[in-house]
Amino acid sequence: MARIKQDELVFLPLGGSGEIGMNFNAYGYGPENNRQWIIVDCGVLFGREGNTPGVDLILPDIRYLMERRETVLGIIATHAHEDHIGAIAPLWPGLRCPIFATPFTARLIAGKLEEAGLTSKVKVREVPVGGQLELGPFLLDFISITHSILEPNLLAIRTPLGVVAHTGDWKIDPDPLLGEATDTEALERLGNEGVLAMVCDSTNALVPGSSGSEAEVRDNLIALVGTLKGRVAVTGFASNVARLDTVARAAKAHGRRIALVGRSMQKMVEAAKDTGYLKDFPPVLDETEAAELPPHKVLYLCTGSQGEPRAALSRIANGSHPHVELDEGDTVIFSSRVIPGNELAIAEIQNKLAARSIGILTVQEHHVHVSGHPARDELAQMYRWIRPKLALPVHGEIRHQMAHAKLALELQVPQALVPENGQMFRLAPGRPVLVDEVPAGRVHLDGRILVAEGEGLAKDRRAMGFAGLLVVALVVDHKGRIAAPPTVLGEGMPEPVEEAVLKAVEETLDKNKRADPDELAENVRRAARRAAQEAWGKKPITRVLVTEL
Ligand SMILES: [Zn+2]
Ligand SMILES: [Zn+2]
């Protein structure tokens, strides 16, 4: 007799556990052989030049859900940061499901779908701020919280087996300046209902105290700009619309006109205005107009606070920006933190600015930035509101997730589980438990092609970056005899290496007069690598091409 399996509620993270970025979480409901899924967030991780040369975006490997895409009811975005929405456009063709978000987030996702040429295939469906969404067995409440972007949402995910609180990214900002404040009443009500599990942001679980408010940053930035004489450039995250508003107000307060430098600044201001925010943002100058103003009349708001080589600030620091020039006596304010891994790139820019006597002000000496993620006091407050039976810390490296789990237990949460990408947890019925492990990992968006990380392209490129590429071309006749002198081509290596390799190849050919072409190629490859190693101390990637006449 066929066994009818009972309904279960499961949680499956496929990204964002073990790394800050690439957030991807799925919830499944139904019996094991007939589950329906929702996806909460679908984000990217940015490639690092050293680790993944030539790869800009890293995406989660979601083949488990792609293989059952008919059962995926939709992607829901909690907010519009790239680590939550950046993978929607590249991965959507493998899912072909509806997409849901609040208006500002929807507007930014729509822009990405348009860039990817997907507008005719899928439209983002808007959920009002504070609204509700029903998808199969899931009923979702969008509860307004605060973060470092407009319209961040905590999702209360209701199912017939119980409620899960999915926080997304958040902090408790008593005065977020723009957009909704934290809906503490809704959070308290949710806690009173009884919550099975809370899936929660771990980014700052090691940071004591509270993250601070955008309002403090506003006061400080306005005062700071007032002390400066020459041109002022402020750099920060374009997505922090409240901060952009603050910078505009600082400019206005001191008689400066504002110019936006960098496409993402312009795009973000447009998206905010289109969705009803920034109503009194001052008119912005274009870069050429700003260049004609006296230095004390201008303030540039520019991208590139993380040292991104193609962003505005890097080009300004190099003196290679077509319209924006800074000189001695001008000042750059970094209204941002240093994202781990970007230290060297940022230091390089700051050194270039310093060498030209351009002033640099950062969060180290001035309170010009606050984090958008909850420090420990805020986490404690959230656990007091929600009082879940289970803590599932996500959105962090393992050390953050572990510290978060420990804190949750100290706050009397009965159980805490630190998930890894690909681990499936049954949240109900019964005590939560790990029930399955599914394929998970990373996929690189390499140019326009998706490539599984394991295929080793990035590894080959790193190797080529370290020791170049060596190509040996041989010509043999139909009897396998050498029919022309060999050619050696070394890319990215000193000249004597090529000469040493050519000599070794010629000697090998002399000794292999009767070898078959495959054997000959392999012997030549080994000899070439050995010669490079002896002459240079490095083994380049080596390829042998044999042309048979
Ligand atoms: Zn975020
Ligand atoms: Zn995030």
Side-chain angles (χ1 to χ4, degrees), residues 517-535:
D518 289 344
E519 200 183 321
L520 180 69
E522 181 54 19
N523 289 344
V524 165
R525 193 186 69 84
R526 282 204 207 137
R529 265 165 76 83
R530 205 180 312 122
Q533 166 73 18
E534 274 165 23

Side-chain angles (χ1 to χ4, degrees), residues 20-21 23 41 79 81-84 147 168-169 201 203 373 395:
I20 293 180
N23 295 287
D41 291 334
H79 68 289
H81 275 145
E82 291 291 329
D83 61 325
H84 298 257
H147 181 37
D169 295 2
D201 183 352
T203 312
H373 298 276
H395 202 292

